[in-house]
mmCIF file with all atom_site columns, all heavy atoms in Angstrom:
data_model
loop_
_atom_site.group_PDB
_atom_site.id
_atom_site.type_symbol
_atom_site.label_atom_id
_atom_site.label_alt_id
_atom_site.label_comp_id
_atom_site.label_asym_id
_atom_site.label_entity_id
_atom_site.label_seq_id
_atom_site.pdbx_PDB_ins_code
_atom_site.Cartn_x
_atom_site.Cartn_y
_atom_site.Cartn_z
_atom_site.occupancy
_atom_site.B_iso_or_equiv
_atom_site.pdbx_formal_charge
_atom_site.auth_seq_id
_atom_site.auth_comp_id
_atom_site.auth_asym_id
_atom_site.auth_atom_id
_atom_site.pdbx_PDB_model_num
ATOM   1   N N   . ILE A 1 27  ? 11.494 -14.952 -33.148 1.00 0.00 ? 27  ILE A N   1
ATOM   2   C CA  . ILE A 1 27  ? 12.016 -13.689 -32.643 1.00 0.00 ? 27  ILE A CA  1
ATOM   3   C C   . ILE A 1 27  ? 11.999 -12.721 -33.830 1.00 0.00 ? 27  ILE A C   1
ATOM   4   O O   . ILE A 1 27  ? 12.993 -12.755 -34.580 1.00 0.00 ? 27  ILE A O   1
ATOM   5   C CB  . ILE A 1 27  ? 13.359 -13.782 -32.008 1.00 0.00 ? 27  ILE A CB  1
ATOM   6   C CG1 . ILE A 1 27  ? 13.275 -14.879 -30.843 1.00 0.00 ? 27  ILE A CG1 1
ATOM   7   C CG2 . ILE A 1 27  ? 13.900 -12.538 -31.482 1.00 0.00 ? 27  ILE A CG2 1
ATOM   8   C CD1 . ILE A 1 27  ? 14.702 -15.125 -30.100 1.00 0.00 ? 27  ILE A CD1 1
ATOM   9   N N   . MET A 1 28  ? 11.062 -11.813 -33.946 1.00 0.00 ? 28  MET A N   1
ATOM   10  C CA  . MET A 1 28  ? 10.937 -10.928 -35.176 1.00 0.00 ? 28  MET A CA  1
ATOM   11  C C   . MET A 1 28  ? 11.999 -9.806  -34.923 1.00 0.00 ? 28  MET A C   1
ATOM   12  O O   . MET A 1 28  ? 11.694 -8.706  -34.492 1.00 0.00 ? 28  MET A O   1
ATOM   13  C CB  . MET A 1 28  ? 9.542  -10.421 -35.207 1.00 0.00 ? 28  MET A CB  1
ATOM   14  C CG  . MET A 1 28  ? 8.505  -11.506 -35.214 1.00 0.00 ? 28  MET A CG  1
ATOM   15  S SD  . MET A 1 28  ? 6.833  -10.837 -35.623 1.00 0.00 ? 28  MET A SD  1
ATOM   16  C CE  . MET A 1 28  ? 6.444  -9.905  -34.163 1.00 0.00 ? 28  MET A CE  1
ATOM   17  N N   . ASP A 1 29  ? 13.229 -10.026 -35.406 1.00 0.00 ? 29  ASP A N   1
ATOM   18  C CA  . ASP A 1 29  ? 14.259 -9.077  -35.139 1.00 0.00 ? 29  ASP A CA  1
ATOM   19  C C   . ASP A 1 29  ? 14.864 -8.504  -36.477 1.00 0.00 ? 29  ASP A C   1
ATOM   20  O O   . ASP A 1 29  ? 14.812 -9.106  -37.520 1.00 0.00 ? 29  ASP A O   1
ATOM   21  C CB  . ASP A 1 29  ? 15.421 -9.669  -34.341 1.00 0.00 ? 29  ASP A CB  1
ATOM   22  C CG  . ASP A 1 29  ? 16.319 -8.671  -33.656 1.00 0.00 ? 29  ASP A CG  1
ATOM   23  O OD1 . ASP A 1 29  ? 15.929 -7.467  -33.615 1.00 0.00 ? 29  ASP A OD1 1
ATOM   24  O OD2 . ASP A 1 29  ? 17.398 -9.061  -33.279 1.00 0.00 ? 29  ASP A OD2 1
ATOM   25  N N   . PHE A 1 71  ? 7.456  -13.029 -31.085 1.00 0.00 ? 71  PHE A N   1
ATOM   26  C CA  . PHE A 1 71  ? 8.053  -12.120 -30.048 1.00 0.00 ? 71  PHE A CA  1
ATOM   27  C C   . PHE A 1 71  ? 7.835  -10.731 -30.624 1.00 0.00 ? 71  PHE A C   1
ATOM   28  O O   . PHE A 1 71  ? 8.632  -10.314 -31.562 1.00 0.00 ? 71  PHE A O   1
ATOM   29  C CB  . PHE A 1 71  ? 9.470  -12.495 -29.808 1.00 0.00 ? 71  PHE A CB  1
ATOM   30  C CG  . PHE A 1 71  ? 9.995  -11.981 -28.439 1.00 0.00 ? 71  PHE A CG  1
ATOM   31  C CD1 . PHE A 1 71  ? 9.254  -11.303 -27.572 1.00 0.00 ? 71  PHE A CD1 1
ATOM   32  C CD2 . PHE A 1 71  ? 11.389 -12.186 -28.165 1.00 0.00 ? 71  PHE A CD2 1
ATOM   33  C CE1 . PHE A 1 71  ? 9.690  -10.829 -26.339 1.00 0.00 ? 71  PHE A CE1 1
ATOM   34  C CE2 . PHE A 1 71  ? 11.800 -11.789 -26.950 1.00 0.00 ? 71  PHE A CE2 1
ATOM   35  C CZ  . PHE A 1 71  ? 11.051 -11.097 -26.022 1.00 0.00 ? 71  PHE A CZ  1
ATOM   36  N N   . ALA A 1 72  ? 6.973  -10.001 -30.120 1.00 0.00 ? 72  ALA A N   1
ATOM   37  C CA  . ALA A 1 72  ? 6.690  -8.616  -30.581 1.00 0.00 ? 72  ALA A CA  1
ATOM   38  C C   . ALA A 1 72  ? 7.237  -7.512  -29.767 1.00 0.00 ? 72  ALA A C   1
ATOM   39  O O   . ALA A 1 72  ? 7.618  -6.390  -30.310 1.00 0.00 ? 72  ALA A O   1
ATOM   40  C CB  . ALA A 1 72  ? 5.105  -8.397  -30.758 1.00 0.00 ? 72  ALA A CB  1
ATOM   41  N N   . PHE A 1 73  ? 7.286  -7.664  -28.493 1.00 0.00 ? 73  PHE A N   1
ATOM   42  C CA  . PHE A 1 73  ? 7.875  -6.652  -27.522 1.00 0.00 ? 73  PHE A CA  1
ATOM   43  C C   . PHE A 1 73  ? 8.351  -7.233  -26.282 1.00 0.00 ? 73  PHE A C   1
ATOM   44  O O   . PHE A 1 73  ? 7.513  -7.929  -25.589 1.00 0.00 ? 73  PHE A O   1
ATOM   45  C CB  . PHE A 1 73  ? 6.666  -5.546  -27.241 1.00 0.00 ? 73  PHE A CB  1
ATOM   46  C CG  . PHE A 1 73  ? 7.254  -4.257  -26.764 1.00 0.00 ? 73  PHE A CG  1
ATOM   47  C CD1 . PHE A 1 73  ? 7.652  -3.259  -27.613 1.00 0.00 ? 73  PHE A CD1 1
ATOM   48  C CD2 . PHE A 1 73  ? 7.295  -4.043  -25.388 1.00 0.00 ? 73  PHE A CD2 1
ATOM   49  C CE1 . PHE A 1 73  ? 8.043  -2.071  -27.151 1.00 0.00 ? 73  PHE A CE1 1
ATOM   50  C CE2 . PHE A 1 73  ? 7.723  -2.819  -24.888 1.00 0.00 ? 73  PHE A CE2 1
ATOM   51  C CZ  . PHE A 1 73  ? 8.061  -1.882  -25.738 1.00 0.00 ? 73  PHE A CZ  1
ATOM   52  N N   . SER A 1 74  ? 9.591  -6.927  -25.978 1.00 0.00 ? 74  SER A N   1
ATOM   53  C CA  . SER A 1 74  ? 10.153 -7.573  -24.765 1.00 0.00 ? 74  SER A CA  1
ATOM   54  C C   . SER A 1 74  ? 10.068 -6.637  -23.623 1.00 0.00 ? 74  SER A C   1
ATOM   55  O O   . SER A 1 74  ? 9.852  -5.313  -23.735 1.00 0.00 ? 74  SER A O   1
ATOM   56  C CB  . SER A 1 74  ? 11.640 -7.962  -25.050 1.00 0.00 ? 74  SER A CB  1
ATOM   57  O OG  . SER A 1 74  ? 12.462 -6.808  -24.935 1.00 0.00 ? 74  SER A OG  1
ATOM   58  N N   . ASN A 1 77  ? 12.375 -3.921  -24.011 1.00 0.00 ? 77  ASN A N   1
ATOM   59  C CA  . ASN A 1 77  ? 12.085 -2.918  -25.092 1.00 0.00 ? 77  ASN A CA  1
ATOM   60  C C   . ASN A 1 77  ? 11.602 -1.628  -24.599 1.00 0.00 ? 77  ASN A C   1
ATOM   61  O O   . ASN A 1 77  ? 11.523 -0.577  -25.302 1.00 0.00 ? 77  ASN A O   1
ATOM   62  C CB  . ASN A 1 77  ? 11.157 -3.546  -26.150 1.00 0.00 ? 77  ASN A CB  1
ATOM   63  C CG  . ASN A 1 77  ? 11.764 -4.578  -27.031 1.00 0.00 ? 77  ASN A CG  1
ATOM   64  O OD1 . ASN A 1 77  ? 11.280 -5.483  -27.601 1.00 0.00 ? 77  ASN A OD1 1
ATOM   65  N ND2 . ASN A 1 77  ? 13.192 -4.387  -27.248 1.00 0.00 ? 77  ASN A ND2 1
ATOM   66  N N   . ARG A 1 80  ? 13.626 1.617   -24.965 1.00 0.00 ? 80  ARG A N   1
ATOM   67  C CA  . ARG A 1 80  ? 13.800 2.420   -26.295 1.00 0.00 ? 80  ARG A CA  1
ATOM   68  C C   . ARG A 1 80  ? 13.276 3.694   -26.219 1.00 0.00 ? 80  ARG A C   1
ATOM   69  O O   . ARG A 1 80  ? 12.401 4.068   -25.327 1.00 0.00 ? 80  ARG A O   1
ATOM   70  C CB  . ARG A 1 80  ? 13.176 1.554   -27.383 1.00 0.00 ? 80  ARG A CB  1
ATOM   71  C CG  . ARG A 1 80  ? 13.800 0.228   -27.606 1.00 0.00 ? 80  ARG A CG  1
ATOM   72  C CD  . ARG A 1 80  ? 13.283 -0.507  -28.845 1.00 0.00 ? 80  ARG A CD  1
ATOM   73  N NE  . ARG A 1 80  ? 13.975 -1.717  -29.019 1.00 0.00 ? 80  ARG A NE  1
ATOM   74  C CZ  . ARG A 1 80  ? 13.996 -2.313  -30.108 1.00 0.00 ? 80  ARG A CZ  1
ATOM   75  N NH1 . ARG A 1 80  ? 13.481 -1.939  -31.270 1.00 0.00 ? 80  ARG A NH1 1
ATOM   76  N NH2 . ARG A 1 80  ? 14.693 -3.501  -30.206 1.00 0.00 ? 80  ARG A NH2 1
ATOM   77  N N   . ARG A 1 197 ? 15.230 -17.209 -35.481 1.00 0.00 ? 197 ARG A N   1
ATOM   78  C CA  . ARG A 1 197 ? 15.599 -15.799 -35.290 1.00 0.00 ? 197 ARG A CA  1
ATOM   79  C C   . ARG A 1 197 ? 16.243 -15.262 -36.509 1.00 0.00 ? 197 ARG A C   1
ATOM   80  O O   . ARG A 1 197 ? 17.328 -15.693 -36.884 1.00 0.00 ? 197 ARG A O   1
ATOM   81  C CB  . ARG A 1 197 ? 16.542 -15.700 -34.142 1.00 0.00 ? 197 ARG A CB  1
ATOM   82  C CG  . ARG A 1 197 ? 16.852 -14.211 -33.811 1.00 0.00 ? 197 ARG A CG  1
ATOM   83  C CD  . ARG A 1 197 ? 17.561 -13.919 -32.526 1.00 0.00 ? 197 ARG A CD  1
ATOM   84  N NE  . ARG A 1 197 ? 17.480 -12.403 -32.290 1.00 0.00 ? 197 ARG A NE  1
ATOM   85  C CZ  . ARG A 1 197 ? 17.662 -11.892 -31.105 1.00 0.00 ? 197 ARG A CZ  1
ATOM   86  N NH1 . ARG A 1 197 ? 17.814 -12.600 -30.059 1.00 0.00 ? 197 ARG A NH1 1
ATOM   87  N NH2 . ARG A 1 197 ? 17.654 -10.525 -31.017 1.00 0.00 ? 197 ARG A NH2 1
ATOM   88  N N   . GLU A 1 201 ? 21.484 -12.146 -35.453 1.00 0.00 ? 201 GLU A N   1
ATOM   89  C CA  . GLU A 1 201 ? 21.805 -12.281 -34.069 1.00 0.00 ? 201 GLU A CA  1
ATOM   90  C C   . GLU A 1 201 ? 21.599 -13.765 -33.605 1.00 0.00 ? 201 GLU A C   1
ATOM   91  O O   . GLU A 1 201 ? 20.679 -14.369 -34.028 1.00 0.00 ? 201 GLU A O   1
ATOM   92  C CB  . GLU A 1 201 ? 20.988 -11.399 -33.185 1.00 0.00 ? 201 GLU A CB  1
ATOM   93  C CG  . GLU A 1 201 ? 20.901 -9.982  -33.559 1.00 0.00 ? 201 GLU A CG  1
ATOM   94  C CD  . GLU A 1 201 ? 22.142 -9.302  -33.433 1.00 0.00 ? 201 GLU A CD  1
ATOM   95  O OE1 . GLU A 1 201 ? 23.232 -9.875  -33.080 1.00 0.00 ? 201 GLU A OE1 1
ATOM   96  O OE2 . GLU A 1 201 ? 22.268 -8.072  -33.819 1.00 0.00 ? 201 GLU A OE2 1
ATOM   97  N N   . ARG A 1 203 ? 21.206 -15.190 -30.389 1.00 0.00 ? 203 ARG A N   1
ATOM   98  C CA  . ARG A 1 203 ? 20.953 -15.143 -28.958 1.00 0.00 ? 203 ARG A CA  1
ATOM   99  C C   . ARG A 1 203 ? 19.489 -15.249 -28.730 1.00 0.00 ? 203 ARG A C   1
ATOM   100 O O   . ARG A 1 203 ? 18.658 -15.065 -29.607 1.00 0.00 ? 203 ARG A O   1
ATOM   101 C CB  . ARG A 1 203 ? 21.518 -13.977 -28.244 1.00 0.00 ? 203 ARG A CB  1
ATOM   102 C CG  . ARG A 1 203 ? 21.009 -12.659 -28.890 1.00 0.00 ? 203 ARG A CG  1
ATOM   103 C CD  . ARG A 1 203 ? 21.594 -11.398 -28.059 1.00 0.00 ? 203 ARG A CD  1
ATOM   104 N NE  . ARG A 1 203 ? 21.266 -10.199 -28.841 1.00 0.00 ? 203 ARG A NE  1
ATOM   105 C CZ  . ARG A 1 203 ? 22.217 -9.490  -29.511 1.00 0.00 ? 203 ARG A CZ  1
ATOM   106 N NH1 . ARG A 1 203 ? 23.449 -9.849  -29.516 1.00 0.00 ? 203 ARG A NH1 1
ATOM   107 N NH2 . ARG A 1 203 ? 21.779 -8.376  -30.147 1.00 0.00 ? 203 ARG A NH2 1
ATOM   108 N N   . SER A 1 205 ? 17.754 -13.577 -26.136 1.00 0.00 ? 205 SER A N   1
ATOM   109 C CA  . SER A 1 205 ? 17.165 -12.305 -25.621 1.00 0.00 ? 205 SER A CA  1
ATOM   110 C C   . SER A 1 205 ? 15.989 -12.507 -24.763 1.00 0.00 ? 205 SER A C   1
ATOM   111 O O   . SER A 1 205 ? 14.884 -11.847 -24.970 1.00 0.00 ? 205 SER A O   1
ATOM   112 C CB  . SER A 1 205 ? 16.810 -11.478 -26.790 1.00 0.00 ? 205 SER A CB  1
ATOM   113 O OG  . SER A 1 205 ? 17.937 -11.153 -27.660 1.00 0.00 ? 205 SER A OG  1
HETATM 114 C C1  . IPE I 2 .   ? 14.192 -9.360  -29.290 1.00 0.00 ? 302 IPE I C1  1
HETATM 115 O O1  . IPE I 2 .   ? 14.828 -8.367  -30.093 1.00 0.00 ? 302 IPE I O1  1
HETATM 116 C C2  . IPE I 2 .   ? 12.830 -8.867  -28.864 1.00 0.00 ? 302 IPE I C2  1
HETATM 117 C C3  . IPE I 2 .   ? 11.823 -8.826  -30.040 1.00 0.00 ? 302 IPE I C3  1
HETATM 118 C C4  . IPE I 2 .   ? 12.083 -9.229  -31.210 1.00 0.00 ? 302 IPE I C4  1
HETATM 119 C C5  . IPE I 2 .   ? 10.537 -8.321  -29.721 1.00 0.00 ? 302 IPE I C5  1
HETATM 120 P P1  . IPE I 2 .   ? 15.837 -7.161  -29.532 1.00 0.00 ? 302 IPE I P1  1
HETATM 121 O O2  . IPE I 2 .   ? 16.251 -6.544  -30.618 1.00 0.00 ? 302 IPE I O2  1
HETATM 122 O O3  . IPE I 2 .   ? 15.069 -6.471  -28.451 1.00 0.00 ? 302 IPE I O3  1
HETATM 123 O O4  . IPE I 2 .   ? 16.940 -8.035  -28.843 1.00 0.00 ? 302 IPE I O4  1
HETATM 124 P P2  . IPE I 2 .   ? 18.452 -7.733  -28.570 1.00 0.00 ? 302 IPE I P2  1
HETATM 125 O O5  . IPE I 2 .   ? 18.560 -6.378  -27.968 1.00 0.00 ? 302 IPE I O5  1
HETATM 126 O O6  . IPE I 2 .   ? 19.083 -7.713  -29.946 1.00 0.00 ? 302 IPE I O6  1
HETATM 127 O O7  . IPE I 2 .   ? 18.996 -8.759  -27.778 1.00 0.00 ? 302 IPE I O7  1
#
Side-chain angles (χ1 to χ4, degrees):
I27 301 175
M28 305 188 290
D29 196 17
F71 201 0
F73 195 88
S74 76
N77 288 148
R80 295 188 177 201
R197 183 167 193 159
E201 308 295 359
R203 55 175 171 256
S205 302

